[in-house]
Amino acid sequence: MTAAIAETSTESTVLYSTQGAVALLTLNRPQALNSFTRQMHRDLGLALDKAEADKNIRALVITGAGRGFCAGADLSEFDFAPGPNLVERANPGPVIEQAFNPTARRLTSLRMPTIAAVNGVAAGAGSSLALTCDIAVAAPNASFIQAFSKIGLVPDAGGSWLLVQKLGLARAMTLAMTGDKLSAAQAREWGMIWEVADDSVAAAMALAQRLALLPTKALVATRHLLREGTTRTLHQQLDVERDTQSDMGRTHDYIEGVTAFLEKRPAAFKGE
């Protein structure tokens, strides 16, 4: 990868590099299949801050170090020591409220499109993380596992919403209840992910480079229209489309895109 710039120390749980207008974030706890600790949530937040602050960055890829993408929450951070107040100490609610939910909300509100390069297993909240990105590309050996029911929990980090949106109720319900493994090939066939590629990171980066050349604001506005559209009636969505289209009509990239079309030349979008 050319022009890669290391932005975090070797101890960081999230590595940051850039290639042109694309930022690559690598979850970096390979010994634990990149399962989330509170520190990794903080490091991911800092990496997202860095990408958003760099006006040159117009697309973002998230992947995992080693053989896994993300195994969800690191359960070793939960306090299951015998003794008083075990139920309160082991309660997963606080870490969801303080870490997983903010991460999910942050990813869906980024100013640039996001792609998950699922290089290995994506389990529990790790699967939710992949689905929170706008697009997902997976390696042939990657898999998606709703591991929650096997430990007496329910899908979180947006999983209960994202699964239904991606797969429909019947498939989402069965996967969530059984915790069965979904292969990358089956996930693609069912429309859960976009592509299966031998090198998921290279494929995701190539796609991100394409997106980085497009009108960034329009791409993000498209994200919101499509993800929020199911919460509205058709008539409500028509009004939101009108208003959003009017907003896009005030951007540089709209004027440039139409002008380039009329002049029969490639458009030079700026993401503005």
Side-chain angles (χ1 to χ4, degrees):
M1 182 180 298
T2 60
I5 305 171
E7 299 286 356
T8 55
S9 73
T10 56
E11 298 300 319
S12 177
T13 64
V14 177
L15 304 180
Y16 183 100
S17 64
T18 61
Q19 182 175 314
V22 177
L24 173 64
L25 279 57
T26 304
L27 307 180
N28 189 38
R29 300 187 69 236
Q31 74 285 0
L33 292 176
N34 303 311
S35 56
F36 265 103
T37 60
R38 288 179 180 269
Q39 184 60 50
M40 193 160 83
H41 280 288
R42 288 190 287 268
D43 288 344
L44 179 56
L46 291 173
L48 295 176
D49 287 344
K50 186 174 289 291
E52 290 226 278
D54 186 346
K55 293 182 179 180
N56 294 318
I57 298 301
R58 290 170 55 188
L60 183 143
V61 173
I62 299 178
T63 192
R67 61 188 180 88
F69 176 72
C70 177
D74 188 333
L75 297 178
S76 68
E77 285 210 329
F78 290 72
D79 186 357
F80 277 85
N85 304 316
L86 172 59
V87 171
E88 290 77 11
R89 289 187 281 107
N91 183 3
V95 72
I96 293 173
E97 175 64 21
Q98 297 161 14
F100 285 98
N101 284 357
T103 293
R105 291 188 174 106
R106 182 71 188 285
L107 282 171
T108 59
S109 64
L110 286 179
R111 63 164 180 81
M112 75 281 287
T114 58
I115 302 176
V118 185
N119 55 301
V121 64
S127 177
S128 301
L129 174 68
L131 299 184
T132 301
C133 293
D134 298 321
I135 301 171
V137 176
N141 65 334
S143 60
F144 301 84
I145 307 172
Q146 300 303 311
F148 304 97
S149 64
K150 295 182 178 181
I151 57 171
L153 293 177
V154 300
D156 61 21
S160 63
W161 189 90
L162 293 160
L163 274 176
V164 177
Q165 295 298 311
K166 298 277 187 177
L167 297 175
L169 183 58
R171 286 170 172 164
M173 188 76 75
T174 304
L175 286 174
M177 285 190 169
T178 63
D180 286 351
K181 179 187 297 186
L182 184 67
S183 69
Q186 189 70 70
R188 183 181 185 278
E189 183 179 334
W190 284 0
M192 185 175 176
I193 63 174
W194 173 248
E195 181 183 4
V196 177
D198 289 336
D199 188 333
S200 59
V201 177
M205 290 295 289
L207 181 54
Q209 294 288 3
R210 286 178 55 196
L211 297 181
L213 295 175
L214 296 175
T216 311
K217 288 186 176 180
L219 299 185
V220 172
T222 297
R223 169 205 295 157
H224 293 306
L225 278 173
L226 296 183
R227 290 211 168 189
E228 297 167 8
T230 56
T231 67
R232 307 185 186 103
T233 65
L234 172 59
H235 294 298
Q236 290 171 333
Q237 187 75 350
L238 289 171
D239 289 341
V240 176
E241 287 177 349
R242 175 203 62 212
D243 295 343
T244 305
Q245 206 73 298
S246 181
D247 290 341
M248 294 303 101
R250 299 183 179 91
T251 64
H252 164 276
D253 286 348
Y254 164 67
I255 301 299
E256 166 62 13
V258 175
T259 301
F261 175 80
L262 296 174
E263 295 178 352
K264 295 180 171 57
R265 61 171 175 80
F269 296 119
K270 296 182 178 179
E272 300 175 354

